């Protein structure tokens, strides 16, 4: 990877993404953060170089971006960042931790993040700007839409459909064939035995 990388955000999720990039020997130019109190600080040896606007000082052909903004239930801020900088001509790279497993036949769209310990089995398709977080397990033939977040330790059994912007909480389990609707939430530790409709929040078994 010859181009330098800028990570958008300097919080907890950005630190995890940065750690994965460093494990891959990537060259990270710095991180951005709109809170001026963090400007100039270092995270894992990389400096916060200013707010998000500094990205526009660079040629989109010369740098690559990583969306370091995480999400807890609401994926809208991540989606806004992705769409804003895509419209300016920038490209978001995929971040795949060396300790993750992606089987043959997995399809990843732009800006996907696969973190340490995650497992993706054959036939899985992941939409743009989606997070497959630490230790999540995505079994065969699952389809996950854009701007979704599969939180740490979540399990999707075979042939699950997760629509755009959905959030699957930490330790949740979605059994085979279940559909999770657009913008919906499956709460942490829940087991989804049936479909969850668009915009719904499921917190029971």
């Amino acid at each position: 990877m010859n181009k330098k990388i800028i990570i958008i955000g300097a919080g907890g999720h950005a630190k995890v993404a940065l750690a994965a990039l460093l494990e891959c020997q990537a060259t990270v130019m710095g991180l951005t953060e709109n809170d001026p109190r963090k400007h100039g600080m270092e995270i894992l040896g990389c400096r916060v170089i200013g707010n998000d606007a500094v990205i526009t000082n660079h040629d989109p052909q010369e740098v690559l971006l990583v969306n370091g903004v995480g999400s807890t239930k609401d994926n809208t801020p991540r989606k806004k960042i992705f769409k804003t900088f895509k419209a300016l001509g920038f490209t978001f790279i995929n971040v795949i931790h060396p300790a993750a497993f992606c089987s043959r036949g997995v399809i990843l769209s732009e800006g996907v993040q696969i973190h340490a310990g995650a497992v993706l089995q054959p036939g899985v398709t992941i939409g743009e700007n989606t997070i497959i977080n630490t230790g999540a397990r995505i079994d065969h033939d699952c389809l996950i839409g854009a701007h979704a977040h599969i939180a740490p330790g979540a399990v999707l059994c075979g042939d699950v459909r997760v629509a755009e912007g959905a959030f699957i909480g930490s330790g949740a389990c979605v059994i085979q064939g279940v559909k999770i609707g657009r913008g919906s939430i499956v709460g942490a530790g829940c087991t989804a035995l049936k479909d969850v409709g668009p915009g719904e929040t499921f917190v029971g078994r």
Side-chain angles (χ1 to χ4, degrees), residues 81-162:
I81 287 168
F82 184 85
K83 293 291 188 182
T84 295
F85 285 98
K86 284 298 297 176
L88 294 172
F90 289 90
T91 298
F92 286 79
I93 62 166
N94 292 339
V95 178
I96 304 175
H97 194 284
F101 173 76
C102 291
S103 177
R104 294 182 182 181
V106 169
I107 298 172
L108 304 179
S109 300
E110 181 178 346
V112 169
Q113 297 177 18
I114 314 293
H115 290 292
V119 176
L120 280 67
Q121 296 289 17
V124 167
T125 298
I126 310 294
E128 65 184 14
N129 194 42
T130 283
I131 301 170
I132 309 299
N133 222 323
T134 309
R137 288 168 284 170
I138 315 297
D139 222 296
H140 65 88
D141 301 310
C142 288
L143 176 61
I144 301 176
H147 316 294
H149 184 174
I150 312 301
V155 176
L156 306 186
C157 300
D159 202 31
V160 167
R161 298 291 185 265
V162 177

Side-chain angles (χ1 to χ4, degrees), residues 6-9 31-36 38-40 48-58 85:
I6 297 175
I7 299 174
I8 302 172
L31 306 93
T32 66
E33 171 58 60
N34 290 330
D35 182 351
K38 293 186 177 182
H39 295 173
V48 178
I49 58 177
N51 61 25
D52 294 353
V54 304
I55 296 171
T56 60
N57 294 334
H58 299 277
F85 285 98

